Amino acid sequence: MTDSVYSSYPPDLSAAQQEFLVTAVKDWAIQNGLAVRPSPAIVPPGTDSNGVLATNAPVTLFPSPFPRTCFQEATALQSIYNELYAAITCDTEWLGNIVEGLIEVDDFVANLWKVHLAVQKEGYVQNLSLGLFRSDYMAHVAPTGAPSLKQVEFNTISASFGGLSALVRELHNDLLTVPPGSSINYPSHPLLQSSTPPENTAVETLAAGLAEAHKAYGASKSTPALPLCVLFVVQKEERNVFDQHALSKQLKTFHKIPVFRVSSVDVLDQTSISGSNPSRPLLYQPPHSPDSTFEVTTVYLRAYYAPDEYKSSRDWEARTHLERSAAIKCPSVLNQLAGCKKVQQVLAEPTGPDHLSSFLKGADPSLVERVRETFAPQYDLSTNSRGRELALNPDTAMNHVLKPQREGGGNNIYKSEIPEFLRSIPESDWRGWVLMELINPAPSAQNVALRNDGEVLRGNVISELGVYGTILWDNSGKVLHNDQGGYLLRTKGKEVNEGGVAAGFSSLDSVLLF
Amino acid sequence: MTDSVYSSYPPDLSAAQQEFLVTAVKDWAIQNGLAVRPSPAIVPPGTDSNGVLATNAPVTLFPSPFPRTCFQEATALQSIYNELYAAITCDTEWLGNIVEGLIEVDDFVANLWKVHLAVQKEGYVQNLSLGLFRSDYMAHVAPTGAPSLKQVEFNTISASFGGLSALVRELHNDLLTVPPGSSINYPSHPLLQSSTPPENTAVETLAAGLAEAHKAYGASKSTPALPLCVLFVVQKEERNVFDQHALSKQLKTFHKIPVFRVSSVDVLDQTSISGSNPSRPLLYQPPHSPDSTFEVTTVYLRAYYAPDEYKSSRDWEARTHLERSAAIKCPSVLNQLAGCKKVQQVLAEPTGPDHLSSFLKGADPSLVERVRETFAPQYDLSTNSRGRELALNPDTAMNHVLKPQREGGGNNIYKSEIPEFLRSIPESDWRGWVLMELINPAPSAQNVALRNDGEVLRGNVISELGVYGTILWDNSGKVLHNDQGGYLLRTKGKEVNEGGVAAGFSSLDSVLLF
């Protein structure tokens, strides 16, 4: 079944069909906020000095087929994955052991750990943490048998695209079904006639998580009491603003919670912690309303996730400032560190202590085994071991990817490049990297993408499914809220994974389950 | 009251307040489809060859104060105005007399009339007509007394901005009220604290009008029966597409009616009338689905309203082709002609036959008088008369505007330029123009506009209120549907009305009633 689904999909498009679909998608995207601010490659500097222009987010013209069993399994496992990463974050000693093995080779991890140590020394004043997570998977196709779900990575900070991916699902659904009974937007194809993408509640789920934290914060810790708000900390030159606005709109209009945005570079200017209040409430002074002061219940980070965001000690100071405040952090520094690739590798380790079962000791053992089933084989490179063998042998390297401790793409080393890369860096740095067996998605999957410069590309693709989850817990490990909902399908031109980005694409997509 | 409202409004903005509001408005606009495609002045040719970029529609940062009595009167009179223009359209003889007086001096009117004569000769096959109208007014401030409602013009073709003006109302309402109880988007001001713009149902009203026509068309006139659709005829290089998409989305998703768009230049290629079917159904063949044929119940014109859209005889052929078909036209050629400024002037004529009462003979006489109250004094220039005196005397000219028989702005001659202009054209052409007394809106009204290139302009403004109405009637004068709902407030920098466009602005706005 799997092969035949992919090999005949998507249907061919005549020039007129493609023109129609592209126009429909371009216009739908702007009408509905499925948009991004354009990059300098699209709008040369000097052209739009007031920053008014927008373009469609990169999207596929068709939804992509995805095995129903894998989609359902990813959804079914999100709550226990939430618990797992909350438990890891609570176990400071265990996490510290892993982090300490990385400190010498990874400045970024070392600096994050220092923030934790500094706040720990002073004493934390907030024992609640909020996670807005996204667990990313591929549907792995083995030579025989059904496709299986394999985890690519688990994101604990700034997991993005919840807002836009819900819109892509609406886009594809509208193209498939509007007007009811007589939609001719797509050429006829059995899969397009029999199915629509499942509902995508990413916006509702993620906003509800933030709203839970806001509520759990309780009353103002200031005297006199101040009005409360949620604060989004964002990058100064963010182009993906509409993804973030989808969440703040839901928080403001549905949950009726004040939400403000502050650039990470402005955190120290626009927020403060009174030296005389031992509860350390985080105060926000909106520059546009200098007479108002709000107390921040929840800091939602859409910044501070990558090393290049910390340009000077002032940025580390700002991160520490937020961390020591009474605001609930989404995520805390410890929760961000729990997202290291090294943690994922240690959990997947087939020999030695069964960390996974320890962290999930209250859970149904069969569920724990289903979590373990999603791990792809991954290896430590710190000592002479199986991992080094596989990485240095050109034949076995072809089946692997080498990952540093970073969120987001662009940092990985693939296949034949692995042995050469390892030999180019000191052996003492190898421990900073994790070797992971490549997951094999359906080889004949294809789609057509509309890039955000309007170019249309058709080709072989790899799709990655992300499932969103939210969890609120206290540092004793007690869980106050645990929810999952919504998904992201990100579909990339195959050559992107080989490191060649120029001709490729990475698009937001939705799923047709089969 | 009136003066004091305008003189203290809108509140001043600090640099930080303005930056905040501008960012909020820019982002809200793209998130919610309050957008236009950018002009070449913003995106130079060659930069966006695939046409993906969009920008915010030009909008005011604040809603504008507008007298409640005038707003209510405009709303109350829309249904009888609908009837009036339906009745005029039905009275071919009366309309023909007016048109024949213009034929020698106005080629465009002459050519439209020829289309009617050609179809009349062959015989019309559709006796229903649909009007999607917008009646435009100003609130006239007399030296003493309350402000009064005066009509600027009545639009019978391509009345636009229903889709976007509903969004501007939402924008201003969100800025005023979200999150509930603690909105600090605007600086404090009594008017902004006490009031929100009235609901704007333009999209629902206009789409419901089209849906009524679609239903009234009845069964397919083809054998075998074909699926039915509504067809939007649009300009090829339309930048205001999202305004139109707001209506088609409502038609497709709420009314579940198939809607297609065809450029006016493609009408003859993509639609046809079978020579062998005396009912002359209009058939539409979507290029993206060549195996499908739809029968068009209703042709909605967002094109063909200005002379420069008819580049060759082929365009007149296309217009005639639509007119002779069985599709219900919105508007018919006759209904378009009923929108001539000359018709408005003849209705307002204080001496001679009372045309207004004749057309509205079934209506409550007091309502008819309220319609008459909205007429500003206007004069015929075809003979030596009061109109010529007022136009040629530089003193009295200062209080007037000279209008040709056109929809839309940019064609009028104002004040001191009138005598000179009239002397520059042959006296025999004067009859093509109507002299209208200027309406005096509140002199101290101000607002701040965000242009679609992101420039922010503050200054004295003139606001024009448009009220939308829809009516479906047959050519015996029987009315099948008559509705009103939704409004447009268009706010212009004062210098625009003097002919200087470069430094000015014309923005979409909403109303705060006082």
Side-chain angles (χ1 to χ4, degrees):
Chain A
M1 171 68 183
T2 310
D3 263 4
S4 68
V5 164
Y6 289 107
S7 63
S8 69
Y9 188 88
D12 286 332
L13 292 173
S14 70
Q17 283 168 332
Q18 179 166 313
E19 192 193 331
F20 172 82
L21 260 186
V22 165
T23 302
V25 170
K26 278 192 317 193
D27 285 1
W28 194 102
I30 295 300
Q31 192 182 8
N32 295 279
L34 177 49
V36 292
R37 294 291 179 192
S39 74
I42 301 176
V43 175
T47 294
D48 176 26
S49 52
N50 293 311
V52 289
L53 295 173
T55 179
N56 58 278
V59 294
T60 56
L61 296 187
F62 298 89
S64 281
F66 197 86
R68 184 182 303 270
T69 51
C70 293
F71 182 86
Q72 287 171 337
E73 185 67 357
T75 302
L77 295 180
Q78 188 58 38
S79 296
I80 190 165
Y81 257 122
N82 290 344
E83 271 180 56
L84 172 61
Y85 277 84
I88 292 169
T89 307
C90 289
D91 194 338
T92 321
E93 201 188 323
W94 187 88
L95 192 57
N97 278 334
I98 288 192
V99 164
E100 273 158 15
L102 295 170
I103 279 177
E104 274 176 43
V105 293
D106 194 316
D107 278 353
F108 183 56
V109 167
N111 282 322
L112 285 173
W113 188 246
K114 266 192 233 158
V115 173
H116 160 63
L117 291 179
V119 180
Q120 189 181 42
K121 197 171 163 196
E122 184 183 14
Y124 279 96
V125 289
Q126 178 55 265
N127 68 356
L128 297 176
S129 285
L130 177 68
L132 259 55
F133 299 150
R134 199 188 67 221
S135 185
D136 290 342
Y137 305 92
M138 286 185 195
H140 177 71
V141 178
T144 59
S148 62
L149 187 72
K150 292 293 172 193
Q151 190 179 52
V152 177
E153 64 178 354
F154 192 88
N155 303 282
T156 59
I157 183 165
S158 300
S160 58
F161 292 126
L164 296 188
S165 67
L167 286 169
V168 177
R169 184 267 168 189
E170 259 193 75
L171 163 70
H172 288 154
N173 195 58
D174 276 5
L175 288 172
L176 285 164
T177 64
V178 173
S182 54
S183 171
I184 53 166
N185 298 308
Y186 287 124
S188 145
H189 186 281
L191 200 58
L192 295 169
Q193 252 113 46
S194 61
S195 178
T196 54
E199 230 191 323
N200 190 332
T201 60
V203 171
E204 291 83 351
T205 302
L206 296 171
L210 289 162
E212 283 293 330
H214 181 78
K215 232 189 306 172
Y217 180 87
S220 166
K221 303 174 199 300
S222 307
T223 318
L226 290 172
L228 305 176
C229 76
V230 170
L231 193 65
F232 283 30
V233 178
V234 299
Q235 295 183 345
K236 198 168 172 58
E237 305 289 336
E238 178 64 79
R239 299 198 292 111
N240 193 24
V241 283
F242 304 105
D243 182 47
Q244 301 170 353
H245 286 321
L247 302 189
S248 45
K249 180 181 181 178
Q250 176 78 0
L251 273 173
K252 287 192 277 190
T253 58
F254 182 79
H255 296 285
K256 306 189 185 349
I257 296 171
V259 179
F260 299 100
R261 293 167 66 82
V262 59
S263 288
S264 55
V265 294
D266 294 326
V267 161
L268 290 177
D269 292 333
Q270 296 180 12
T271 70
S272 61
I273 300 172
S274 152
S276 63
N277 186 337
S279 301
R280 290 184 233 148
L282 182 66
L283 308 185
Y284 170 66
Q285 205 107 33
H288 65 281
S289 184
D291 298 340
S292 314
T293 302
F294 285 79
E295 183 172 330
V296 179
T297 63
T298 311
V299 171
Y300 176 45
L301 298 186
R302 292 294 290 256
Y304 289 139
Y305 56 84
D308 63 4
E309 294 182 80
Y310 298 82
K311 305 242 184 287
S312 72
S313 62
R314 190 172 154 82
D315 296 307
W316 284 108
E317 198 190 320
R319 183 72 195 269
T320 309
H321 164 79
L322 295 175
E323 196 70 11
R324 66 185 286 275
S325 80
I328 299 171
K329 270 71 69 182
C330 177
S332 67
V333 163
L334 289 175
N335 192 211
Q336 179 175 357
L337 285 166
C340 281
K341 299 294 172 290
K342 185 70 190 170
V343 167
Q344 208 187 337
Q345 180 257 311
V346 170
L347 291 174
E349 194 75 60
T351 56
D354 180 358
H355 301 291
L356 184 67
S357 297
S358 314
F359 282 120
L360 297 174
K361 52 184 172 296
D364 175 348
S366 73
L367 207 54
V368 176
E369 290 319 299
R370 281 162 64 190
V371 169
R372 204 188 310 275
E373 278 295 302
T374 66
F375 297 160
Q378 18 200 318
Y379 305 92
D380 170 43
L381 297 178
S382 62
T383 56
N384 274 324
S385 62
R386 177 95 182 111
R388 288 193 173 189
E389 272 170 44
L390 292 168
L392 295 171
N393 179 331
D395 290 341
T396 49
M398 284 307 288
N399 198 29
H400 289 84
V401 53
L402 194 63
K403 296 179 162 188
Q405 311 304 318
R406 296 287 166 275
E407 292 291 328
N411 304 303
N412 297 342
I413 311 292
Y414 287 90
K415 300 185 180 184
S416 61
E417 291 169 0
I418 297 174
E420 198 183 343
F421 173 81
L422 285 175
R423 289 196 190 98
S424 75
I425 61 172
E427 213 175 293
S428 56
D429 286 358
W430 292 10
R431 71 168 83 164
W433 296 76
V434 162
L435 187 78
M436 184 171 168
E437 198 173 297
L438 280 171
I439 304 166
N440 293 316
S444 57
Q446 291 213 332
N447 210 324
V448 186
L450 175 68
R451 291 202 314 205
N452 58 12
D453 61 0
E455 290 298 307
V456 178
L457 298 172
R458 186 182 185 113
N460 292 309
V461 295
I462 291 178
S463 291
E464 225 175 276
L465 176 75
V467 172
Y468 295 97
T470 68
I471 183 165
L472 179 69
W473 72 93
D474 73 14
N475 57 15
S476 76
K478 192 178 139 201
V479 172
L480 286 76
H481 167 88
N482 184 358
D483 193 18
Q484 70 79 26
Y487 60 92
L488 163 71
L489 196 73
R490 197 125 60 127
T491 291
K492 299 177 188 184
K494 260 192 174 166
E495 67 276 29
V496 171
N497 268 11
E498 306 291 344
V501 174
F505 56 86
S506 169
S507 301
L508 302 176
D509 194 352
S510 71
V511 298
L512 281 183
L513 302 180
F514 70 92
Chain B
M1 173 70 183
T2 310
D3 263 4
S4 68
V5 164
Y6 289 107
S7 61
S8 70
Y9 188 88
D12 286 333
L13 292 174
S14 70
Q17 283 167 332
Q18 179 167 313
E19 192 193 329
F20 172 82
L21 260 185
V22 165
T23 302
V25 170
K26 278 192 317 192
D27 284 0
W28 194 102
I30 295 300
Q31 192 182 6
N32 295 279
L34 176 50
V36 293
R37 294 291 178 193
S39 73
I42 302 177
V43 176
T47 294
D48 175 27
S49 52
N50 293 312
V52 289
L53 294 173
T55 179
N56 58 277
V59 293
T60 57
L61 296 188
F62 297 90
S64 282
F66 197 87
R68 184 183 303 270
T69 50
C70 293
F71 183 85
Q72 287 171 336
E73 185 68 356
T75 303
L77 296 181
Q78 187 59 39
S79 295
I80 191 166
Y81 256 123
N82 290 345
E83 271 180 57
L84 172 63
Y85 277 85
I88 292 169
T89 307
C90 288
D91 194 339
T92 322
E93 200 187 324
W94 187 89
L95 192 58
N97 277 335
I98 289 191
V99 164
E100 272 159 18
L102 295 171
I103 279 176
E104 273 175 44
V105 293
D106 194 317
D107 278 353
F108 182 55
V109 167
N111 282 321
L112 284 172
W113 188 246
K114 267 192 231 158
V115 173
H116 160 64
L117 292 178
V119 180
Q120 189 181 42
K121 195 171 166 197
E122 184 182 11
Y124 279 96
V125 290
Q126 177 55 265
N127 68 356
L128 296 176
S129 285
L130 177 67
L132 260 54
F133 298 149
R134 199 187 69 219
S135 184
D136 290 342
Y137 305 92
M138 286 187 195
H140 177 72
V141 178
T144 57
S148 61
L149 187 73
K150 291 293 173 195
Q151 189 178 54
V152 176
E153 63 177 356
F154 193 89
N155 303 282
T156 59
I157 182 167
S158 301
S160 58
F161 291 125
L164 296 188
S165 67
L167 287 168
V168 177
R169 184 268 168 189
E170 260 193 73
L171 163 70
H172 287 154
N173 196 57
D174 276 6
L175 288 172
L176 285 165
T177 64
V178 172
S182 55
S183 171
I184 53 166
N185 298 309
Y186 286 124
S188 145
H189 186 281
L191 200 59
L192 295 169
Q193 252 113 44
S194 62
S195 177
T196 54
E199 231 191 322
N200 191 331
T201 59
V203 171
E204 291 82 352
T205 302
L206 297 172
L210 289 163
E212 283 294 330
H214 182 78
K215 234 189 305 173
Y217 180 87
S220 166
K221 304 176 197 300
S222 307
T223 317
L226 291 172
L228 305 176
C229 76
V230 169
L231 193 65
F232 283 30
V233 178
V234 299
Q235 295 183 345
K236 197 167 173 58
E237 305 289 336
E238 179 63 79
R239 300 198 293 110
N240 193 25
V241 282
F242 304 105
D243 182 48
Q244 300 170 353
H245 286 322
L247 302 189
S248 46
K249 181 182 181 178
Q250 177 77 1
L251 273 172
K252 288 191 278 189
T253 59
F254 182 78
H255 295 285
K256 305 188 184 355
I257 296 171
V259 179
F260 299 99
R261 293 167 66 82
V262 61
S263 288
S264 55
V265 295
D266 295 327
V267 161
L268 290 177
D269 291 333
Q270 296 179 13
T271 71
S272 60
I273 301 172
S274 152
S276 63
N277 186 338
S279 301
R280 289 184 234 148
L282 182 66
L283 309 185
Y284 170 65
Q285 203 106 33
H288 65 282
S289 184
D291 297 340
S292 314
T293 302
F294 285 79
E295 183 172 329
V296 179
T297 64
T298 311
V299 171
Y300 176 46
L301 297 186
R302 291 294 289 256
Y304 287 138
Y305 55 84
D308 63 3
E309 293 181 80
Y310 299 81
K311 305 243 184 283
S312 72
S313 61
R314 191 171 152 85
D315 296 307
W316 285 108
E317 197 190 321
R319 182 72 195 269
T320 309
H321 164 78
L322 295 176
E323 195 70 12
R324 66 185 286 275
S325 81
I328 298 171
K329 269 72 70 183
C330 176
S332 67
V333 163
L334 289 175
N335 192 211
Q336 179 174 358
L337 285 166
C340 280
K341 299 295 173 289
K342 185 70 190 171
V343 167
Q344 208 188 336
Q345 180 257 310
V346 170
L347 292 174
E349 193 75 60
T351 55
D354 181 357
H355 301 292
L356 184 66
S357 296
S358 315
F359 282 121
L360 297 174
K361 54 184 169 296
D364 175 350
S366 73
L367 207 55
V368 176
E369 289 320 298
R370 282 162 64 191
V371 170
R372 204 188 309 274
E373 278 294 301
T374 66
F375 296 159
Q378 20 201 317
Y379 305 92
D380 170 43
L381 297 177
S382 62
T383 56
N384 274 325
S385 62
R386 178 93 181 113
R388 288 192 174 191
E389 272 170 43
L390 293 167
L392 295 171
N393 179 332
D395 290 340
T396 48
M398 284 306 287
N399 198 28
H400 289 85
V401 53
L402 195 63
K403 296 179 164 189
Q405 311 304 319
R406 296 287 164 274
E407 291 293 328
N411 303 303
N412 297 342
I413 312 291
Y414 287 90
K415 299 185 180 183
S416 60
E417 290 170 1
I418 297 173
E420 199 182 342
F421 173 82
L422 284 176
R423 288 196 191 99
S424 75
I425 61 172
E427 214 175 294
S428 56
D429 285 359
W430 292 10
R431 72 168 83 164
W433 297 76
V434 162
L435 187 77
M436 184 169 166
E437 198 173 298
L438 280 171
I439 306 168
N440 294 317
S444 56
Q446 291 212 333
N447 210 324
V448 187
L450 175 68
R451 291 202 314 207
N452 59 10
D453 62 0
E455 290 297 308
V456 177
L457 299 172
R458 186 182 184 114
N460 292 309
V461 295
I462 291 178
S463 291
E464 223 175 278
L465 175 75
V467 172
Y468 295 97
T470 67
I471 183 165
L472 179 69
W473 72 93
D474 73 15
N475 58 15
S476 75
K478 192 178 138 203
V479 172
L480 286 77
H481 167 88
N482 184 358
D483 193 18
Q484 72 78 26
Y487 61 91
L488 163 71
L489 195 74
R490 196 125 60 128
T491 291
K492 298 178 188 182
K494 259 192 174 166
E495 66 276 31
V496 171
N497 268 13
E498 305 291 344
V501 174
F505 56 85
S506 169
S507 302
L508 303 176
D509 195 352
S510 72
V511 298
L512 281 183
L513 301 180
F514 70 92

